[in-house]
Amino acid sequence: MTNDVQATSGAFTLIKQDNGVAILTMDVPGESMNTLKAAFGDEISAMLDDIDADTSIKGVVLTSGKANSFVAGADISMLAACNTAEDATTIAAGGQAIFDRIERMKATFVAAINGPALGGGLELALACHYRICTDSPSTQVGLPEVQLGLLPGSGGTQRLPRLIGIQQAMKMMLTGAPARAKQAKKYGIVDDVVPQSVLLKVAEQFALKRKPEREAPQKSVMDKMLENTGPGRGMMFKKAREATFAKTKGNYPAPGYIIDVIETGMRDGIEAGLKAEAEAFGKLVMTPESFQLRQIFFATTDMKKENGIEGVAPEKMKKVGVLGGGLMGGGIAFVTSTKAGVPVRIKDVRPEGIANAMKYSYDILNKKVKKRFMRSSEMQKQLSLITGTLDYSGYQDTDIVVEAVFEDLDLKQKMVADIEENCKENTIFASNTSSIPITQIAAKAARPENVIGLHYFSPVDKMPLAEVIAHETTSDQVISSTVEFAKKQGKTPVVVKDGAGFYVNRILAPYMNEAASLILAGEPIEHIDKSLVKFGFPVGPVKLLDEVGIDVGTKIIPFLVEAFGERFTAPSAFDKVLADGRKGKKNQKGFYSYEGKKPGKEVDESIYSLLGLTPSTKLSEKEVAERCVLMMLNEAARCLDESVIRNARDGDIGAIFGIGFPPFLGGPFRYMDTLGIKHVVERLNHYASTVGDKFTPADILVKMAEENSTFY
């Protein structure tokens, strides 16, 4: 018989067992995940006092009361209450003090990790003397603070480099990328990986050990020279700064601070490092970049909780059909089988189409198996969910069919008729069209209420956005079910109103057109692309057109001109480029050259003679970026005014996740608020009078400028 003694205080329960091991469980009431809050300080301190006072406790296992996660991180909503950098520094210093105390405890502390241990969750585990994790696919450890414009503020910048080496730790902090269980063991973050059934048992065995005398992380001779000598370290940090600046273009302050703080700790000792960490954390909380990145985090978190239509519960999609085995079809099948875990059947008119679509999934998964991120058996299981057919056999019981055939209205209408004939009464027909209004696709449907748009972005396995497009008669049930289905595929879905270009492509088109106008005005292509990369886009507009395919990128223009008139008319340059057989990367012939040592990196100079131009830089980087971006902002405002998007938040998320609008600016609407609507209207008017009518400010902006109002 055991005489376990239990004490509970808010989120923490301490059970003292007869074997000298106490189990300290964290379980935040009413939350699906554990997050660390500043308010827990007193509770934890009281528990640690209790442990310290009890000499029978030899070891403590720290675990989570949540079934599928350890600690997801610190509760970032508490940062909104900070009015000064000092307030935020105080929060960081408070967390550091508690974790320091855990590290200095007499008893041996062991973190028993199942599921995500991220940010503050990993920092808490790093303060323990040992870490054991499960081999569950959901187990991952990481410090993703950089993605919120912050740095790890509770000792992570100091403990991780000492545990696993500076370079690996720095890489994890600068990218925010988590490590899975096996990698975590390989890097030396965890001491053992075990099945979930024995996690606590193994953790208890470790808790009865003495504290480890850890040796320095295993390093190659080269790494030892870099990390353990003054000159080596100096060179390593210098290189890290150069590489980071080349990536961020100086738009994000957090990575620079991360490097500084690690360097301080390694040069001047852990105490100086912790002080520098807390101060840098405080400064970063107050930056506009971190503010915007945190808003994006809150927006996407809210969107995960929302139904497509409020009050209408979604129906579960148990079997999926995909029409068309091209690049998009293959990508849609991949996220359906691997993320949603649902059987998917690809229909194509050619066996090669099906083979290519299946190869899409095989190639991605096989890479994971080779890197040992995934077992071969798991890959087989995911691939077995994908089947193919040349007719409609196996389609009679599909819940949703996603159409990804050519952009041809007659063909798409025929697909609708086929599905209505071969599937259930309530099968949803979702079209992945990028340009044809859904109303037209549903025009001849017997059951138009089942027809909806579900627009993915290429490549489907990487791009996080999906636009869900309802036409006038799409049923609420179909909207909610489609939104839920997109979420299951790992997408962030934004519901938009039907119309040419929907939302994302509609705001992208004027931006791309303006870039083309600048080429025709003689601005060098690399100057245009560089200007927008410096502004914060992942790639420039001309490079983007080459990547997407010049034929695909321009296909939408006629639909937009038909719907919205002259302001969408594309410069004649596109016609000449296409007539010359240039489709971009896919046929190795576009605005960029795909020959030589740097394929796709340098402009194909012959494009200028084709267009009869002699390029020379007349506009500054700032002016080039301003002209292209203003066209996008103006169109985004019109979309909100016409209820194409439901609110500014959806418009911001759509632009960031769909086009790569600079996240640190918060999206088109947050950016307009930052600039001031009056300023936006003034700049549009300036260009309307000097360049052309296409810059005429949208009515909603003129009205907002007069009323001095904002989007948020």
Side-chain angles (χ1 to χ4, degrees):
M1 189 179 137
T2 61
N3 300 319
D4 297 352
V5 182
Q6 179 169 333
T8 301
S9 161
F12 299 89
T13 307
L14 183 69
I15 298 177
K16 299 177 183 179
Q17 305 177 138
D18 283 356
N19 62 356
V21 177
I23 308 286
L24 179 55
T25 305
M26 179 176 181
D27 194 347
V28 181
E31 304 272 342
S32 61
M33 293 261 203
N34 284 328
T35 54
L36 298 165
K37 303 174 198 287
F40 293 159
D42 295 344
E43 281 179 45
I44 301 174
S45 297
M47 290 280 177
L48 296 178
D49 288 344
D50 188 359
I51 292 165
D52 254 345
D54 189 335
T55 52
S56 72
I57 299 177
K58 303 280 181 287
V60 177
V61 172
L62 179 63
T63 186
S64 162
K66 308 292 180 196
N68 46 13
S69 68
F70 181 67
V71 180
D75 177 6
I76 355 165
S77 57
M78 63 185 175
L79 301 178
C82 298
N83 295 318
T84 63
E86 287 73 38
D87 292 348
T89 294
T90 305
I91 291 179
Q96 287 179 352
I98 289 170
F99 292 176
D100 270 359
R101 184 169 174 200
I102 290 174
E103 194 171 38
R104 289 199 309 270
M105 294 287 282
K106 287 200 295 283
T108 301
F109 270 67
V110 182
I113 301 167
N114 177 51
L118 301 169
L122 177 57
E123 290 180 293
L124 169 61
L126 289 171
C128 295
H129 306 110
Y130 293 104
R131 287 154 294 283
I132 313 297
C133 75
T134 67
D135 57 7
S136 154
S138 69
T139 296
Q140 45 175 324
V141 299
L143 296 171
E145 287 86 349
V146 72
Q147 293 163 3
L148 296 173
L150 301 170
L151 51 64
S154 299
T157 65
Q158 304 306 305
R159 288 196 178 91
L160 193 61
R162 285 171 171 78
L163 182 68
I164 67 170
I166 301 171
Q167 290 172 91
Q168 185 58 50
M170 191 152 56
K171 187 175 163 193
M172 284 182 74
M173 285 182 247
L174 290 174
T175 60
R180 303 272 168 202
K182 260 188 173 165
Q183 289 170 289
K185 173 86 167 66
K186 194 174 121 191
Y187 296 158
I189 301 172
V190 299
D191 296 287
D192 207 353
V193 178
V194 298
Q196 192 176 344
S197 54
V198 295
L199 176 66
L200 284 179
K201 192 179 156 203
V202 174
E204 285 187 31
Q205 290 166 359
F206 272 85
L208 290 168
K209 292 184 177 192
R210 291 174 47 189
K211 287 176 201 160
E213 295 286 326
R214 293 201 181 268
E215 291 169 12
Q218 293 299 311
K219 298 185 197 123
S220 66
V221 178
M222 181 66 184
D223 284 348
K224 272 185 186 153
M225 275 174 63
L226 279 176
E227 297 195 15
N228 299 357
T229 67
R233 273 213 296 259
M235 192 172 101
M236 179 179 68
F237 286 117
K238 181 172 175 274
K239 282 268 175 270
R241 283 191 181 91
E242 284 166 7
T244 300
F245 191 80
K247 270 212 175 83
T248 64
K249 306 285 180 278
N251 287 323
Y252 294 87
Y257 276 112
I258 289 172
I259 298 169
D260 292 348
V261 168
I262 297 173
E263 186 171 28
T264 301
M266 287 302 173
R267 187 186 60 225
D268 304 337
I270 193 159
E271 273 193 19
L274 288 170
K275 186 171 179 292
E277 176 189 86
E279 283 172 7
F281 181 83
K283 284 180 193 157
L284 285 169
V285 168
M286 289 297 144
T287 60
E289 292 84 359
S290 176
F291 172 79
Q292 298 296 9
L293 294 169
R294 297 197 309 266
Q295 297 315 311
I296 295 167
F297 174 79
F298 294 133
T300 48
T301 310
D302 287 344
M303 290 167 93
K304 280 180 190 144
K305 296 174 190 161
E306 293 170 7
N307 276 345
I309 296 287
E310 210 174 326
V312 180
E315 283 175 4
K316 205 171 169 204
M317 302 291 123
K318 297 192 265 307
K319 191 171 176 193
V320 179
V322 171
L323 302 178
L327 213 54
M328 293 307 280
I332 296 162
F334 173 78
V335 292
T336 305
S337 73
T338 61
K339 294 262 182 5
V342 179
V344 54
R345 196 155 171 82
I346 304 164
K347 180 192 178 296
D348 200 281
V349 287
R350 302 169 314 132
E352 313 79 271
I354 294 165
N356 286 338
M358 291 193 168
K359 190 173 181 301
Y360 186 105
S361 292
Y362 173 80
D363 288 346
I364 298 173
L365 295 175
N366 195 36
K367 256 188 204 143
K368 290 187 178 178
V369 172
K370 277 191 172 150
K371 286 185 174 168
R372 300 217 169 137
F373 291 170
M374 175 186 264
R375 292 197 184 101
S376 189
S377 58
E378 179 59 30
M379 166 168 120
Q380 297 305 335
K381 190 174 128 192
Q382 292 184 4
L383 287 175
S384 70
L385 291 173
I386 308 174
T387 56
T389 177
L390 296 170
D391 52 26
Y392 285 99
S393 62
Y395 262 67
Q396 63 284 356
D397 56 346
T398 47
D399 297 303
I400 185 169
V401 174
V402 185
E403 166 273 306
V405 300
F406 296 114
E407 288 287 89
D408 177 309
L409 181 58
D410 293 339
L411 177 61
K412 288 182 191 284
Q413 287 180 342
K414 182 183 181 316
M415 295 290 119
V416 175
D418 283 0
I419 293 308
E420 289 184 328
E421 194 182 318
N422 291 286
C423 297
K424 298 186 294 190
E425 187 102 322
N426 57 350
T427 298
I428 297 171
F429 182 96
S431 175
N432 172 51
T433 175
S434 54
S435 55
I436 304 171
I438 306 303
T439 309
Q440 294 178 19
I441 293 171
K444 297 178 180 171
R447 298 188 283 276
E449 66 278 6
N450 291 342
V451 180
I452 194 165
L454 181 52
H455 179 214
Y456 299 89
F457 295 81
S458 186
V460 182
D461 58 291
K462 290 196 178 75
M463 295 295 277
L465 189 74
E467 285 180 304
V468 174
I469 308 115
H471 65 97
E472 287 296 323
T473 55
T474 305
S475 78
D476 287 356
Q477 179 63 64
V478 166
I479 297 171
S480 271
S481 298
T482 306
V483 164
E484 187 55 32
F485 172 61
K487 282 186 201 165
K488 288 273 190 292
Q489 293 175 315
K491 302 296 165 202
T492 299
V494 172
V495 179
V496 300
K497 200 168 85 172
D498 190 27
F502 315 127
Y503 171 66
V504 172
N505 281 336
R506 179 171 159 188
I507 67 168
L508 184 62
Y511 164 86
M512 301 290 262
N513 278 349
E514 192 50 29
S517 301
L518 290 167
I519 295 174
L520 290 184
E523 292 297 331
I525 289 168
E526 60 268 29
H527 176 56
I528 297 168
D529 277 353
K530 249 189 204 128
S531 303
L532 284 138
V533 168
K534 198 164 179 191
F535 179 81
F537 281 92
V539 292
V542 191
K543 186 88 181 95
L544 180 65
L545 197 54
D546 256 14
E547 293 283 335
V548 174
I550 301 166
D551 52 338
V552 177
T554 52
K555 193 171 253 173
I556 187 175
I557 300 291
F559 291 97
L560 291 164
V561 174
E562 189 188 338
F564 307 113
E566 282 309 294
R567 72 170 191 272
F568 276 96
T569 307
S572 54
F574 291 142
D575 298 338
K576 280 185 183 165
V577 172
L578 283 169
D580 193 41
R582 293 173 189 256
K583 290 182 181 177
K585 189 178 176 178
K586 62 180 169 191
N587 75 343
Q588 304 284 294
K589 198 175 173 195
F591 289 99
Y592 282 77
S593 164
Y594 293 90
E595 288 162 6
K597 283 184 181 157
K598 295 183 184 169
K601 292 272 189 284
E602 286 162 359
V603 172
D604 178 355
E605 296 295 328
S606 67
I607 196 93
Y608 295 120
S609 47
L610 175 72
L611 297 172
L613 296 170
T614 310
S616 74
T617 306
K618 294 185 264 318
L619 301 175
S620 69
E621 284 182 344
K622 210 173 157 208
E623 285 171 297
V624 168
E626 185 179 45
R627 272 177 60 167
C628 294
V629 172
L630 278 173
M631 290 296 284
M632 184 184 281
L633 300 179
N634 207 15
E635 204 55 45
R638 284 197 187 95
C639 287
L640 183 62
D641 200 21
E642 295 166 21
S643 305
V644 171
I645 41 176
R646 294 174 172 191
N647 49 40
R649 177 203 72 180
D650 286 6
D652 281 340
I653 295 298
I656 291 166
F657 286 0
I659 304 170
F661 190 92
F664 67 92
L665 296 174
F669 296 97
R670 289 242 179 227
Y671 182 51
M672 285 190 270
D673 275 0
T674 305
L675 291 173
I677 310 297
K678 271 199 172 106
H679 175 78
V680 175
V681 171
E682 275 165 18
R683 296 310 293 156
L684 283 164
N685 279 328
H686 162 74
Y687 287 117
S689 62
T690 54
V691 179
D693 292 345
K694 59 186 174 181
F695 280 99
T696 305
D699 296 345
I700 177 178
L701 291 176
V702 176
K703 191 168 163 241
M704 286 175 73
E706 284 165 8
E707 294 168 358
N708 217 357
S709 57
T710 53
F711 289 109
Y712 282 91

